[in-house]
Amino acid sequence: MAGRGPAPKDPTKRRRRNAAEPETVITPDDEMRGPELPEGVLGTDEATGEPLPWHPMTQLWWDSWRTSAQAQTFVMTDWLFLIDTALMHHTMWAKGRWEFASEVRLRAAKFGATPEDRARLKLKVDDPTNAPQRPVQSTGNVSDINSRRARLTG
């Protein structure tokens, strides 16, 4: 007769007691971080000699990374890696080279682009609306509740 196997071992008797890794909690602050997308790396317009602009979707993608909560943890090597990724993103949108999409997705996942990626990285973006509210300071025309209680209770 099939069963479920032996009873689980007592956790205190196990050789390996892997402690759960702590989760990093980041509170978004909407501050713009990191460098601007570099000019001149896309070449120049033959007619005007002006540097070619970044595709608007790439500019939007880049600005979303610069204002993301994760950007608080990025160092310069992270930004340089993301600039390389931005070149792929631009090529994908400007030239319709959709074979770059999978590489862009893999590279963005390293920085926690989706909720699943952030869970894998043990990164939690805190909702600032859930933060405990500080008490409102008295404005002069509002009396303290304790003085009102004292008057009422005599």
Side-chain angles (χ1 to χ4, degrees):
M1 174 156 53
R4 295 180 185 241
K9 188 184 260 187
D10 180 9
T12 60
K13 295 182 181 174
R14 292 189 177 274
R15 280 190 184 176
R16 293 181 58 178
R17 294 187 193 111
N18 297 340
E21 292 181 31
E23 195 173 61
T24 303
V25 179
I26 303 170
T27 303
D29 59 6
D30 295 328
E31 185 176 323
M32 188 75 79
R33 291 183 167 77
E36 290 279 336
L37 283 170
E39 288 187 23
V41 296
L42 303 174
T44 56
D45 185 353
E46 292 178 12
T48 63
E50 295 287 319
L52 289 172
W54 289 90
H55 191 278
M57 288 302 292
T58 302
Q59 188 66 52
L60 178 67
W61 179 85
W62 183 255
D63 289 343
S64 72
W65 277 111
R66 292 182 68 200
T67 57
S68 71
Q70 301 94 298
Q72 296 174 38
T73 65
F74 293 173
V75 295
M76 187 48 93
T77 54
D78 299 331
W79 290 112
L80 293 173
F81 188 81
L82 280 172
I83 287 174
D84 291 343
T85 309
L87 283 166
M88 292 178 204
H89 192 276
H90 170 81
T91 303
M92 187 175 76
W93 280 94
K95 299 180 179 167
R97 301 279 311 270
W98 302 109
E99 65 268 17
F100 285 103
S102 60
E103 182 65 20
V104 170
R105 179 188 56 80
L106 288 172
R107 286 169 160 256
K110 293 178 182 296
F111 296 97
T114 67
E116 181 183 356
D117 298 331
R118 289 188 291 277
R120 184 179 41 75
L121 294 170
K122 298 189 185 310
L123 249 174
K124 182 177 185 300
V125 177
D126 194 24
D127 182 7
T129 59
N130 290 339
Q133 299 293 319
R134 283 188 266 151
V136 177
Q137 298 294 325
S138 176
T139 59
N141 62 350
V142 177
S143 61
D144 183 33
I145 189 72
N146 291 330
S147 64
R148 177 159 169 77
R149 280 190 191 126
R151 282 195 315 265
L152 292 175
T153 58

